[in-house]
Amino acid sequence: VQLQASGGGLVQPGGSLRLSCAASGFRLDDYAIGWFRQAPGKEREGVSCISSSDGSIYYADSVKGRFTISRDNAKNTVYLQMNSLKPEDTAVYYCAATTVVWGRVTEEVHYRYWGQGTLVTVSS
């Protein structure tokens, strides 16, 4: 059972990146999938989450209108499209899987599987 996050890199302010979270050993559509990030010297924070079945989506206020989460169940993959990137978006981004009730998806303690993280650096 494994989650693989990828797609990070170096991008200039205002640029875009698309992160991918691919699962092996289990079906992603059985889980809500969250993206978290941890900037240097800061605690990890929730960025976005997509539900397993009813289409519910959560975005942190800091990324609303700039980031879009989506899932392709046929590919067993969840994506995070990040546009209009800012230097403060610089962080290691993690994807994770949970079956917790929707009201608690921002609480990382409820996530069962975690990817290894992918570094996003926004800098000129």
Side-chain angles (χ1 to χ4, degrees):
V1 173
Q2 189 175 14
L3 282 174
Q4 180 78 30
S6 61
L10 174 63
V11 63
Q12 292 186 343
S16 298
L17 282 175
R18 188 177 78 159
L19 305 184
S20 298
C21 177
S24 58
F26 68 103
R27 292 176 56 88
L28 267 186
D29 56 3
D30 289 335
Y31 295 83
I33 304 301
W35 284 96
F36 295 79
R37 67 185 181 186
Q38 187 166 23
K42 296 187 177 181
E43 293 187 354
R44 191 157 56 188
E45 63 175 351
V47 174
S48 183
C49 185
I50 187 167
S51 68
S52 60
S53 57
D54 69 1
S56 296
I57 288 176
Y58 160 82
Y59 295 107
D61 288 343
S62 57
V63 306
K64 279 181 183 176
R66 301 188 298 121
F67 289 12
T68 302
I69 192 170
S70 62
R71 64 193 310 153
D72 185 336
N73 291 333
K75 294 183 178 181
N76 217 26
T77 301
V78 169
Y79 303 99
L80 185 68
Q81 178 67 43
M82 306 187 297
N83 298 329
S84 303
L85 283 162
K86 305 175 181 179
E88 51 264 43
D89 294 318
T90 295
V92 177
Y93 284 72
Y94 301 88
C95 62
T98 182
T99 57
V100 76
V101 295
W102 185 250
R104 294 188 175 273
V105 294
T106 60
E107 301 170 15
E108 65 176 78
V109 67
H110 299 301
Y111 284 76
R112 180 176 183 181
Y113 303 120
W114 287 82
Q116 84 289 359
T118 185
L119 177 62
V120 172
T121 303
V122 185
S123 175
S124 55

